[in-house]
Amino acid sequence: MDILRINLATKECVRQSLCSSEAIIGGRALTSKMLVEEIPAGCDPLGPVNKLIFANGALAAAGVSSAGRLSVGGKSPLTGGAKEANAGGTAADSLAKLGLRALVLEDKAPKGESYIIVLNDEGCFFHSAEEYKGMGNFQLAEALFGKYGKENSLITVGPAGEQGLYAAGIAVTDMYGRPSRMAARGGLGAVMGTKGVKAIVISKKGSYRYPNLKSEEFMSARKKFNAQVANSERVQVLKKYGTASTVMAVQNLGALPTNNFSAGQFEHAEKISGEALYELIQARGGEGRNWEPCMAGCLVQCSNVVPDASGKELVAPLEYETICLLGSNLGIGDLDEIGKLNWLCNDLGVDTIEIGGALGVMAEAGLANFGSYADFESILQEMYRGTLQGRLAGMGAALCGTILGIERVPAVKKQAMSAYDPRGVKGTGITYATTPMGADHTAGLTVFFPVDHHDKTGQVEISRKMQIQRAAYDAMGLCAFLTSATGQTPQVIIDLVNTLYGIDFTVEQWNSLALETIKREIEFNRAAGLGKDTDRIPEYFKREKLPPFDLLWDLEDEELEAVFGC
Amino acid sequence: MDILRINLATKECVRQSLCSSEAIIGGRALTSKMLVEEIPAGCDPLGPVNKLIFANGALAAAGVSSAGRLSVGGKSPLTGGAKEANAGGTAADSLAKLGLRALVLEDKAPKGESYIIVLNDEGCFFHSAEEYKGMGNFQLAEALFGKYGKENSLITVGPAGEQGLYAAGIAVTDMYGRPSRMAARGGLGAVMGTKGVKAIVISKKGSYRYPNLKSEEFMSARKKFNAQVANSERVQVLKKYGTASTVMAVQNLGALPTNNFSAGQFEHAEKISGEALYELIQARGGEGRNWEPCMAGCLVQCSNVVPDASGKELVAPLEYETICLLGSNLGIGDLDEIGKLNWLCNDLGVDTIEIGGALGVMAEAGLANFGSYADFESILQEMYRGTLQGRLAGMGAALCGTILGIERVPAVKKQAMSAYDPRGVKGTGITYATTPMGADHTAGLTVFFPVDHHDKTGQVEISRKMQIQRAAYDAMGLCAFLTSATGQTPQVIIDLVNTLYGIDFTVEQWNSLALETIKREIEFNRAAGLGKDTDRIPEYFKREKLPPFDLLWDLEDEELEAVFGC
């Protein structure tokens, strides 16, 4: 496996080979390793010195269920610190079939220029992106598939990335060609857009195959692994209801972000629940799908396709965090309205969590009314036009709060919180505070642990454990939803790696790699000026009681500092 | 002398006594000492934990020329680091006559409440500010003088401070009651406003007198000092032309910020020069004044009163940095237009440098046209109304650049540069980069040194020397304009201090105090997350040649780090 470095100023492309023991370090472990080793912490995230690193995991394109996540790393314009965001879709597998573990975008295109980068077995090619400038992700994907053919994976940015907005994510196409799998968080789309890359077109027809891919040992390990995934109970729930199954659980905890995190229960929660979504899809039929994979061979199939009243695809997928941030957090209790906002965010190429957070803050400042779809849609439309209001929303919740003078900004390290109020899910609050990523549930979600989530007792340990597990999965390009099936039996994954690469990797080494990755990211943050004081939940969460259960955030600084001891 | 602490949450006021050796530590030395000792570096600058510290110098109210500067300190909302900004006017003397070396505002008024704090020999009193909410500084001053009498000094914030805008300064009334002496930089007005203090009314009739004030030794030292000031040649220039005398000097250097720092010479420079201003005042007569003191007993009298065409006061004073930032930097070559923008800034209570920087960035982003007074006036009017555009301008140049996606932002540590392009005045560029304050000429201006300002040779030493000298003067509440008269003979100042306080302070101790003050501020910055990487001039100054002399910024990181070695 190789690393391909693409210099956007010189258009030089260089391949570097990796040995087997290096090649298994992928995903977040690789992006964060390169981040610390190659990117000066003090650099301008949107300047030429920052890099944008794409890395798949050791099991990409090997027929392993849910092993095709694509990690994207670099210095975050949003947080100013270390960033890795990962997405499903097909690009990770396609890169692996070209023999690539990682792709690195370096330097910056000359001012005003923008490229489509085409990767296939023949090499790496630069095409002008002139005709695609300002195009939304959906129109762009259609145009690129038209030009380059359907047998490609696309990595794209919408108008938000081109404008350098800090909420801009990077879209990856799914099995059906939708550019709606997002490496959403932390503004990496702005890094890609301002480097002058509108899209990367990656052939799905690459000829690289792992030498041991057809070995009996690997195929047997894979069979065992896939069976374990298919038989998991939690996976069945995810398949049927998608992540939306979480709505009522968090509503019952009183931790469902509502009206800019001012309440923990939403009067219309049932109307936007997993059950309601399931029924809606069933009732409308048409192009609707209750479950669907986003990558080849995935047995979890948590995705869905939401049809509109006429049965035509409205948005796909619709996920829990989006339902909450663009729904309850904005006072919107209608799945169609949420779906339309979600589609606009996908097309603009922005993180639905960050935008939901920003819109909530703007509503609190009086620039929109909670519950008014029209108000929020109008702000998203302004984002296409690059107006001041559109740009402000696109810069995320923290900058909205700064400019508008709003104190109630649900963010850590300037990154908006996702759909778990930290006062009601203490362990996830600890993750928000202490992950180097800024508020991010994917860095260590604790809500499915069978404990009292209102009580902080023992939560530091749970958060730490989950953060290390998530970092381990991220290091392998494995979907987080596998953890419910294989989290307790890490050896089944190590067996896959060892039989595929012919090495002797161990569970202990895997865990060490995960912890080392987190510590590297923290080291980068410190060097970038994000001190311990940024590993905190905002003060007002300690003062404002969250109705209806009057919950407060009650973790002391020392408890937070104990999570990683640095 | 005492320190008075005012808690805005509890309305408790506590006086602490200082011994003689403590009492001579005033001004910036005192605000920065308290900053480091009392304010957690990680705190929210607009939250209850930050403090706002006012301190006069050891020679306040002692009949010493130009010794009545008032330092204001706290954590800056603009830079996120240490901040001291000082102003002339009468408040420093009035505090000293109440026996106060410093005044500290602690905690925060209950939400929605705002106070007028009244200080006199009888004590400290809280009055409601309800009827003054949203009032501009001029109307406010008139109302407060009407209510409390003319024999008071006022410290006030305008609408910008109340709104928590990061460009908000703190106004101090001059000898004639104008609220136009500004502790302008770094957003301390936002700290005062959001703490819930609209104004501090300080009696000029306090009964405290220094025990040695009438001693022969002190009076003799004072006579010598004042004579040295009165006879200084540079002081004569400052008196006649004011600071505007600098316009043509910097124009000739090719370092006059023009159209958002995109050029170093302005075609209409002569029309806004010190000579033009002198002639205009002479020709119009009326309320115009070519020189005027801002504090009692000042022999420098660099202030002026600019009359409009009818002879009525337009603005007072009009200073070099304002002429440049609201003039050449915006493409405006008309002293009347600059004067009107200046008056609006004073009334709003914002830093003219920061606002000039912000408006320049907004013009570059297309939100206004260079040269159009109407465009810029309209944005200032929006600031009164608190609209999105008004708030954005009021947040300063750096945030404007962030939100609008403009790279050419002339700022260091998010504080806008003043009227010396660092490419053309290298020493002042070094000061911008390395002073803990963010870009600030007052921290160590080098432009009057008889060296080649385009050549970096020897400039590190000059900047360091000037920064220490300025910190020394700031520590004593002495106006920077004294340095041209007494900079070479520090003993004349030490004699004043020793005879007034009956101690044995030395020049060496004074210099140590100055350096220690700077190092404390740097220490605070580091703890607040402002690392070495923030002690830099923005990258584009190294790439973009400044016409007409094609100047580049060429200082290496190591050279900058050598200034203070930390």
Side-chain angles (χ1 to χ4, degrees), chain A residues 421-433:
Chain A
D421 192 300
R423 288 164 290 195
V425 190
K426 294 276 157 70
T428 299
I430 295 167
T431 298
Y432 286 165

Side-chain angles (χ1 to χ4, degrees), chain A residues 504-523:
Chain A
D504 286 309
F505 200 54
T506 66
V507 171
E508 290 67 35
Q509 286 172 329
W510 190 24
N511 284 328
S512 298
L513 176 66
L515 184 57
E516 190 184 292
T517 297
I518 295 170
K519 292 203 167 179
R520 271 184 172 139
E521 294 159 352
I522 294 174
E523 176 195 334

Side-chain angles (χ1 to χ4, degrees), chain B residues 397-413:
Chain B
L399 274 167
C400 279
T402 298
I403 298 298
L404 299 171
I406 298 298
E407 193 197 357
R408 192 191 282 131
V409 175
V412 177
K413 297 184 184 69

Side-chain angles (χ1 to χ4, degrees), chain B residues 46-76:
Chain B
L46 301 187
V49 175
N50 198 10
K51 298 185 181 186
L52 191 65
I53 308 157
F54 299 83
N56 55 25
L59 299 167
V64 175
S65 174
S66 328
R69 302 286 296 183
L70 181 69
S71 285
V72 192
K75 178 171 176 177
S76 165

Side-chain angles (χ1 to χ4, degrees), chain B residues 184-207:
Chain B
R185 311 229 62 192
L188 294 176
V191 178
M192 180 161 151
T194 57
K195 281 195 176 299
V197 179
K198 179 70 175 162
I200 306 173
V201 179
I202 309 162
S203 169
K204 288 183 172 179
K205 297 291 179 192
S207 56

Side-chain angles (χ1 to χ4, degrees), chain A residues 104-327:
Chain A
V104 188
L105 301 183
E106 302 185 338
D107 214 321
K108 215 168 167 170
K111 204 166 179 164
E113 287 206 28
S114 172
Y115 303 123
I116 307 293
I117 294 174
V118 178
L119 298 178
N120 54 39
D121 269 345
E122 278 69 52
C124 170
F125 307 93
F126 283 72
H127 297 183
S128 166
E130 193 58 36
E131 61 190 296
Y132 308 107
K133 273 188 182 168
M135 213 177 254
N137 275 321
F138 289 97
Q139 195 190 346
L140 174 68
E142 200 183 330
L144 294 176
F145 283 130
K147 180 159 181 184
Y148 298 101
K150 293 253 176 194
E151 288 303 305
N152 284 289
S153 300
L154 306 179
I155 299 175
T156 63
V157 293
E162 290 180 77
Q163 290 178 36
L165 303 184
Y166 295 0
I170 294 174
V172 178
T173 48
D174 68 9
M175 285 179 66
Y176 311 92
R178 297 181 197 101
S180 59
R181 309 306 312 192
M182 286 271 173
R185 310 229 62 193
L188 294 176
V191 178
M192 180 161 153
T194 57
K195 281 194 176 300
V197 178
K198 179 69 176 165
I200 307 172
V201 179
I202 309 162
S203 169
K204 287 183 172 179
K205 298 290 181 191
S207 57
Y208 179 82
R209 297 292 177 273
Y210 300 104
N212 298 335
L213 187 63
K214 299 285 175 194
S215 73
E216 212 168 289
E217 292 78 7
F218 175 68
M219 289 203 292
S220 150
R222 185 172 67 186
K223 194 171 169 189
K224 185 175 164 195
F225 174 87
N226 285 349
Q228 191 167 328
V229 174
N231 294 328
S232 154
E233 247 176 67
R234 167 82 187 141
V235 162
Q236 296 311 314
V237 173
L238 275 170
K239 188 166 177 170
K240 183 166 177 189
Y241 294 112
T243 56
S245 57
T246 308
V247 172
M248 291 313 295
V250 179
Q251 164 85 349
N252 292 336
L253 275 174
L256 195 77
T258 303
N259 294 356
N260 191 32
F261 285 69
S262 64
Q265 287 190 342
F266 180 46
E267 55 175 334
H268 303 302
E270 285 189 7
K271 289 164 61 183
I272 59 172
S273 66
E275 295 73 11
L277 181 60
Y278 178 85
E279 297 301 338
L280 181 107
I281 296 172
Q282 286 285 316
R284 287 180 174 174
E287 294 174 12
R289 295 285 176 275
N290 280 109
W291 51 85
E292 199 175 81
C294 75
M295 55 180 74
C298 175
L299 300 163
V300 180
Q301 304 193 15
C302 69
S303 279
N304 52 34
V305 180
V306 183
D308 64 16
S310 73
K312 220 172 147 290
E313 178 175 320
L314 178 69
V315 74
L318 185 57
E319 305 250 20
Y320 167 65
E321 281 76 17
T322 301
I323 288 173
C324 181
L325 268 296
L326 294 178

